[in-house]
Amino acid sequence: MRNKIAVIAQHADNRIDPVTYEAVSCALELCAGETSCIQIIVPGDRVEKVAQEISGETGIDTIALENELLKIYNAEAYTSALVTFFRQRAPGYILIPHTSVGYDFAPLLAIKLEASCITAVKQVNGSDGTTAFVHEVFDGRLYAEVVSKTKTTVITIQPGAWEPLGRQPGKSGIVETRNVTVNPGKTRTIAFRQSDYQGAALANSEVIVSAGRGIGKKENLSLIYEVAKLFPRSALGCSRAVCDAGWLEYSHQVGITGSTVSPKLYFAIGISGAVQHITGIKGAQVIVAVNSDPAARFFTIADYCIVEDLTQFIPTLVEEFKKKYGSFSK
Amino acid sequence: MKILVCVKQVSVPGTYPAADKPPPGFRINSYDEYALEEALLLKERIEKTTVHAVSAGPERVTAVIKRAMEMGADQGMHIRYEQEEQLTPYQVATLIASYARDRQYDIILTGVMADDDMQMQTGQMIAGILGYPYASSVVSHEIREGRTMYVERECDARQRQCLEIEMPCVLTIQSGINRPRYPSLSNILRAKQQKIESINALDLPEARETEVRLFSPGIKPKGTILQGTRREKAVQLLEILHEKALL
Ligand SMILES: Cc1cc2nc3c(=O)[nH]c(=O)nc-3n(C[C@H](O)[C@H](O)[C@H](O)COP(=O)(O)OP(=O)(O)OC[C@H]3O[C@@H](n4cnc5c(N)ncnc54)[C@H](O)[C@@H]3O)c2cc1C
């Protein structure tokens, strides 16, 4: 059977977001490596080049779905284009990267196609002919396994859950460009812009000392500053919860909607390790986590785990540092 | 202006439903508190604005409707259905959309996500069913002349999507957009007197997906768990950092 799975590419300004290739990997898992079941769709305006590039990388058939109104992302326009395209025959699965674009339009697409919708999927389990999709619930402490009951299922793929498909030499897919009618809808995207909070200090830092809601109150930031002072060059990071509470500015936020960082050392203090946070530190070389909860998610990715109350551990750490080195290094 | 805020009751964070145990407690979904606060701020700014809070579920969910009224919602609406199992986002969206359809709300607000199922779907689906435009993950907004709003969505990697959207519309609200207030004494007293409007969920649609299993992924630490007393751990950590030339 052909075209059972559609993957919607994520791209902007002629750049393909690598999460697209992660979604392709998931598609390949779903169809047991049978590339002819997969079709990659690139909605946009003049995106044939993008489609060619994706097809060239993956060897999978790719369609550039074009309309002027798709030049800049807008949920209604995107969905309208895809619904028109799928009207003939909707595929069994529509895979969309779980990004701020993907999770925005996926539920609308599901409504329009009368499809089920399962988001932030990080694993596929199959047994006796049924396919179950796994996503996190309750802060990731539990996983839910979900089975679709409809002919078409819209799925968003958690970034980082699948390895991106690497270049497939020797394979080639067909690239097709199709014009599609688009209903302009009642939203108009004016622009994408960078937020006023920039994270430059974080992006270039070798050591990041990062605070989570576990510090309990703003005053306890002083503990984090003391840790930061142990390192000759360090920057201050934090979880979103710390910014939401007004303890630090958003320029310090690490994670998917904050800064993506790749320091030599990431020192996480009182951070639970939500997927949106740890996706942002994938590039860190050494991760140290301090958390009073032995079941904290951060420990599943930390190189050194310290199960301690931070309000007691940090002063001890600083004391021992001074004993050993005399004073602060800066 | 009429605003509807959708509030969900979720299990208390930190206490998680084991398959065989009923959850020990419930609270209002944290992201919905931001949505409600946004509605209350609009009410303070724009004359003749009313804020309604709605929740669908068994009797127990009236607790979060009450909570919304204590925070300042003018009225509470309960869409009642009796089964204890969780509805899917599509089912909840259908119930709320059919409630809202003929009630002329200008803005419908939800939280960007539910703390429990983390699906980020309900708001977009309400909009889809009603044929309203929407924006998810909203971090700022402003009502412009006529019936349009200027909205900024939070996107990945510190991007913002700036858009114009016609009312009526649905906005799903991201955390940090405001500081949700605590209930005031006067609102607590008012909420105590006020009845919650209740309607039965008649047309519950069939779920399009089913949760077949809930399981613990288990915590498998990847690295070394430092052992010993607090002081011993501190000394070990300093040694490790020194060895790795990080200090
Ligand atoms: C669309 C979207 C995007 C998001 N983007 C981001 C993002 O980019 N970055 C981000 O960080 N979050 C993001 N979030 C939020 C994320 O889901 C979490 O809510 C957030 O990361 C939690 O922050 P936290 O770990 O500090 O707080 P919590 O989850 O509350 O964790 C606090 C931790 O501190 C520990 N603790 C408490 N007391 C102590 C003590 N005395 N000593 C030691 N440990 C203690 C606790 O055990 C717990 O593990 C996003 C959410 C959404 C919906």
Side-chain angles (χ1 to χ4, degrees):
Chain A
M1 220 193 330
R2 273 181 68 80
N3 298 340
K4 259 181 55 208
I5 303 174
V7 175
I8 315 295
Q10 162 112 23
H11 66 97
D13 306 325
N14 293 316
R15 268 197 49 252
I16 299 152
D17 190 322
V19 289
T20 303
Y21 298 118
E22 299 176 14
V24 172
S25 292
C26 173
L28 281 166
E29 185 179 331
L30 279 169
C31 64
E34 187 48 69
T35 47
S36 64
C37 296
I38 306 172
Q39 186 175 50
I40 302 170
I41 296 163
V42 187
D45 181 34
R46 285 176 237 174
V47 285
E48 195 169 36
K49 278 238 170 64
V50 177
Q52 273 161 356
E53 187 181 334
I54 293 176
S55 177
E57 285 288 312
T58 59
I60 293 172
D61 295 354
T62 305
I63 291 199
L65 200 61
E66 297 192 334
N67 186 300
E68 268 188 326
L69 294 171
L70 303 175
K71 190 172 171 59
I72 179 165
Y73 168 75
N74 160 343
E76 281 186 281
Y78 249 54
T79 307
S80 154
L82 291 169
V83 168
T84 313
F85 177 74
F86 288 136
R87 187 152 291 148
Q88 300 298 323
R89 186 157 62 104
Y93 298 114
I94 301 173
L95 306 188
I96 303 168
H98 188 74
T99 60
S100 52
V101 165
Y103 62 65
D104 188 47
F105 79 87
L108 179 63
L109 184 64
I111 289 293
K112 298 282 184 200
L113 297 174
E114 298 183 12
S116 55
C117 190
I118 308 169
T119 54
V121 167
K122 54 185 295 170
Q123 197 180 314
V124 174
N125 290 347
S127 64
D128 23 291
T130 52
T131 305
F133 297 91
V134 177
H135 69 84
E136 296 188 358
V137 295
F138 296 99
D139 276 342
R141 297 206 191 196
L142 292 176
Y143 287 8
E145 206 175 71
V146 181
V147 172
S148 169
K149 302 203 288 187
T150 51
K151 269 207 257 162
T152 298
T153 305
V154 173
I155 287 164
T156 66
I157 303 295
Q158 181 65 49
W162 273 268
E163 283 296 319
L165 181 72
R167 195 179 168 78
Q168 303 293 299
K171 290 193 182 169
S172 67
I174 301 162
V175 177
E176 195 189 319
T177 300
R178 232 188 260 187
N179 280 304
V180 69
T181 53
V182 168
N183 177 351
K186 297 172 199 154
T187 47
R188 185 174 72 83
T189 301
I190 300 162
F192 278 81
R193 69 171 181 92
Q194 280 296 309
S195 110
D196 303 331
Y197 296 102
Q198 288 311 312
L202 287 172
N204 304 319
S205 250
E206 289 193 353
V207 174
I208 295 174
V209 179
S210 205
R213 180 155 37 208
I215 64 169
K217 53 184 179 195
K218 188 173 181 178
E219 293 69 49
N220 281 343
L221 276 174
S222 60
L223 294 169
I224 310 299
Y225 291 123
E226 286 203 45
V227 176
K229 276 195 269 173
L230 305 182
F231 302 95
R233 277 180 307 278
S234 65
L236 183 66
C238 67
S239 72
R240 183 183 184 99
V242 168
C243 305
D244 288 348
W247 299 340
L248 281 174
E249 277 206 345
Y250 284 94
S251 48
H252 294 280
Q253 187 195 319
V254 171
I256 196 117
T257 51
S259 289
T260 298
V261 298
S262 40
K264 285 189 178 150
L265 172 66
Y266 191 80
F267 200 134
I269 305 171
I271 308 178
S272 61
V275 62
Q276 296 93 348
H277 185 84
I278 61 180
T279 306
I281 59 167
K282 282 266 149 65
Q285 285 171 28
V286 176
I287 298 172
V288 174
V290 180
N291 200 304
S292 51
D293 175 5
R297 288 285 298 294
F298 230 114
F299 293 145
T300 63
I301 62 149
D303 299 287
Y304 300 99
C305 312
I306 296 153
V307 185
E308 284 289 339
D309 184 325
L310 69 93
T311 57
Q312 299 177 327
F313 180 74
I314 301 300
T316 311
L317 181 71
V318 172
E319 232 175 82
E320 287 300 322
F321 179 91
K322 285 182 183 161
K323 258 194 232 165
K324 200 167 167 181
Y325 299 100
S327 71
F328 285 131
S329 58
K330 70 169 179 190
Chain B
M1 188 149 73
K2 268 181 86 178
I3 305 174
L4 181 66
V5 185
C6 309
V7 290
K8 181 177 188 179
Q9 192 184 47
V10 296
S11 305
V12 171
T15 57
Y16 295 92
D20 52 341
K21 278 189 240 140
F26 294 100
R27 51 157 284 152
I28 185 169
N29 177 38
S30 62
Y31 293 96
D32 298 346
E33 286 185 310
Y34 293 98
L36 183 62
E37 178 65 31
E38 242 4 67
L40 298 173
L41 291 172
L42 279 170
K43 180 181 156 81
E44 285 166 5
R45 243 176 296 150
I46 301 167
E47 264 182 45
K48 295 204 204 114
T49 295
T50 52
V51 174
H52 295 176
V54 66
S55 191
E59 188 60 30
R60 63 174 164 78
V61 308
T62 53
V64 296
I65 303 171
K66 259 290 184 263
R67 167 80 188 185
M69 291 159 77
E70 288 170 357
M71 279 174 71
D74 297 294
Q75 270 184 60
M77 320 288 168
H78 177 205
I79 305 173
R80 180 194 304 273
Y81 68 85
E82 285 310 330
Q83 55 280 44
E84 261 298 322
E85 75 261 34
Q86 279 255 20
L87 298 187
T88 65
Y90 165 66
Q91 289 177 301
V92 173
T94 305
L95 293 179
I96 290 177
S98 56
Y99 168 80
R101 193 178 300 279
D102 300 316
R103 288 182 164 81
Q104 277 90 40
Y105 290 106
D106 300 288
I107 306 174
I108 299 177
L109 300 176
T110 71
V112 65
M113 179 169 97
D115 298 327
D116 53 3
D117 69 18
M118 301 176 74
Q119 285 287 279
M120 311 180 84
Q121 297 182 18
T122 308
Q124 293 94 310
M125 286 189 164
I126 293 171
I129 295 166
L130 290 172
Y132 291 2
Y134 67 84
S136 67
S137 237
V138 169
V139 284
S140 85
H141 59 84
E142 195 182 293
I143 294 174
R144 296 260 163 103
E145 70 269 21
R147 302 271 298 159
T148 58
M149 289 183 90
Y150 171 79
V151 170
E152 291 195 1
R153 296 184 59 227
E154 183 186 61
C155 294
D156 298 343
R158 299 188 185 280
Q159 289 249 317
R160 295 273 183 100
Q161 184 184 0
C162 312
L163 39 95
E164 245 168 26
I165 179 167
E166 281 175 35
M167 292 199 279
C169 61
V170 178
L171 307 182
T172 84
I173 301 296
Q174 174 60 299
S175 63
I177 188 174
N178 55 42
R179 302 278 148 69
R181 69 193 65 190
Y182 290 101
S184 67
L185 187 60
S186 60
N187 276 330
I188 292 175
L189 293 174
R190 181 181 55 81
K192 214 177 201 155
Q193 316 247 307
Q194 229 177 328
K195 270 190 69 173
I196 293 173
E197 224 181 85
S198 178
I199 56 166
N200 286 319
L202 296 174
D203 47 356
L204 184 67
E206 210 182 305
R208 289 176 171 169
E209 66 273 347
T210 34
E211 190 178 288
V212 289
R213 192 161 74 101
L214 201 60
F215 63 100
S216 163
I219 297 295
K220 295 182 273 312
K222 171 184 162 236
T224 314
I225 303 172
L226 302 194
Q227 306 289 346
T229 63
R230 187 186 313 138
R231 197 161 295 278
E232 285 162 0
K233 290 178 193 171
V235 171
Q236 279 176 64
L237 180 62
L238 291 171
E239 275 165 12
I240 291 163
L241 295 175
H242 184 75
E243 246 167 57
K244 298 204 170 279
L246 290 163
L247 268 179

